[in-house]
Amino acid sequence: MVLNDEEDPIQLERTVDQILKQFYFDNDRARAVSDRVVRDYRRGLKKETNHKATIKMLPTYVTNTPTGRESGTYLALDLGGTNFRVLLIKITPGDNGTKAKCEIDSRIYKVPGEIMRGTGVQLWDHIANCIANFVKLMDITVKTLPIGFTFSFPCLQRSLTKAKLLYWTKGFAASDCEGKDIDQKLIEAVARNKDLAGYDIRLAAICNDTVGTLMSCAFEESNCKIGLIIGTGTNACYIENTKNIEMLDDDVRGMYEHMIINCEWGNFASDGILSDVITEFDTAVDKSSPNTGSQIYEKMISGMYLGELVRLVLVRLHSLGLVFYDEDVETLQKPGSIDTSFLSLIKSAAPDDIVTIQNQISSSLEIGAVKYDCDVVYKLCQAISSRAATLCACGIVGLVELITADDGPGQNIVCGVDGTVFRMHPTFAKNLVRATNMLLPKNTTVDYVLSHDGSGKGAALTALTAQSD
Ligand code: GLC
């Protein structure tokens, strides 16, 4: 920072702090958010108020968790971000009552932007082509292939294998898919694909990635009651008593005691309920997104948006002469020029490790930063990622409130978690735990357990668990 004669560095820092203050959360502020989330969860569960809820609390038809003794071979599909994965999953029973083993082979296929935002037929044909390629690659000769499909978008399910896409999230916009049955779309695309002729491909289960994460964590830990994703998008699911799920038909409620609810919490606050928390930068991120007005909570928490938030604040600070003084900020001006991995890399450095921070700023933004700039960038990344972790804790503590309202207080609840932000960001998990503990009632604990590849094996486990019911 080159100071003009009349500029006082302490004053500058104060102005930066005032802007960053908008992202800070104390206990009261977090509690107020958590209370509002709970109110919306309850609205989503009730028939009369579901239409007003921003969190839709979608029934999944998953009514049991794995015992750890399942076995079977499945093809699993995982669509939910810029990559599509096909996996071959073999679950074999353990010897003498020990836990089952899970062997996985898989291949990642890109979903190019033009396919994400092209026609539905292009998207489903691409998926069928990837399946055909994988079947050939793995030399799969068995002709009857049960499929577990992790489809990580909001769906209205009518059974374990019937799901209608409500709306796209995370930058997907393929036409003729919203409001349509995705099971149907997949089966039609498989039927169109000549390389798959002769294969009997059957959907055995469709599930959300949060559900896959809960199932794969429950495979290891029997008291896992919540599944959480903090990746490109964010969402959670949990085990609810069917008597509380008014959106289910009475006969279904009578048949099962429990069902996993896919909350679709990313859409929380799309009714403006967090107007006292939302900053002008959040509003700008929302405006420039393909789904303006929806997924407001997701846009404050998940990987698809955190980098852009940091960028917008830096642009503002620069325009006020508070950072990168006299530097060429052409790259910084470009939307999307800061990726969420930037936050992880900056936060991996010690606060006084200027060289690492300088290198990062220089390689991402082509800006020569001085110590003062590094301090600002570091503080900003910290403010935005710890706000994300705190907001996420508000949602989890809200779920704990629902669970303990029925099952009683004093519980040790396990929450299976996955997603790039949780896995890669050096302090996200720590902040999430700290904020959760700050909000939890005494005598209740939440253990966040990294769930290994729930999006991959979760759908296969879901199918297997349903089969053995
Ligand atoms: C988005 C999707 C949701 C998914 C989450 C995490 O919020 O709508 O279904 O679980 O991203 O991938």
Side-chain angles (χ1 to χ4, degrees), residues 76-200:
L77 313 179
D78 174 18
L79 182 71
T82 45
N83 289 329
F84 170 62
R85 279 189 316 156
V86 189
L87 309 91
L88 185 63
I89 313 236
K90 263 188 219 163
I91 301 174
T92 40
D95 305 325
N96 304 326
T98 56
K99 277 197 177 266
K101 284 195 269 310
C102 192
E103 277 172 69
I104 303 183
D105 206 341
S106 66
R107 178 155 176 353
I108 296 175
Y109 299 87
K110 271 242 139 314
V111 184
E114 61 274 18
I115 289 191
M116 282 165 79
R117 295 180 288 276
T119 67
V121 169
Q122 281 168 332
L123 173 67
W124 295 107
D125 279 348
H126 176 66
I127 287 174
N129 280 335
C130 298
I131 301 175
N133 173 280
F134 186 78
V135 165
K136 197 163 155 205
L137 195 73
M138 293 286 134
D139 201 15
I140 298 175
T141 47
V142 194
K143 294 288 174 190
T144 304
L145 292 173
I147 289 193
F149 188 7
T150 306
F151 183 74
S152 307
F153 300 95
C155 285
L156 201 62
Q157 294 206 219
R158 290 193 309 283
S159 70
L160 202 54
T161 54
K162 298 245 160 287
K164 190 201 303 188
L165 171 66
L166 291 172
Y167 51 88
W168 286 121
T169 53
K170 298 178 282 192
F172 273 70
S175 62
D176 195 33
C177 294
E178 291 183 337
K180 301 287 162 66
D181 289 334
I182 59 144
D183 42 289
Q184 205 57 36
K185 295 279 176 195
L186 177 69
I187 294 302
E188 283 166 14
V190 164
R192 280 197 297 273
N193 191 299
K194 294 202 177 54
D195 295 332
L196 291 172
Y199 283 95
D200 179 14

Side-chain angles (χ1 to χ4, degrees), residues 80-81 151-155 167-170 208-211 229-236 262 264-267 295 298 302 455:
F151 183 74
S152 307
F153 300 95
C155 285
Y167 51 88
W168 286 121
T169 53
K170 298 178 282 192
N208 188 259
D209 51 357
T210 54
V211 176
I229 297 281
I230 316 148
T232 309
T234 182
N235 187 16
N262 166 19
E264 283 298 328
W265 79 11
N267 195 44
Q295 302 293 106
E298 176 160 271
S302 76
S455 318

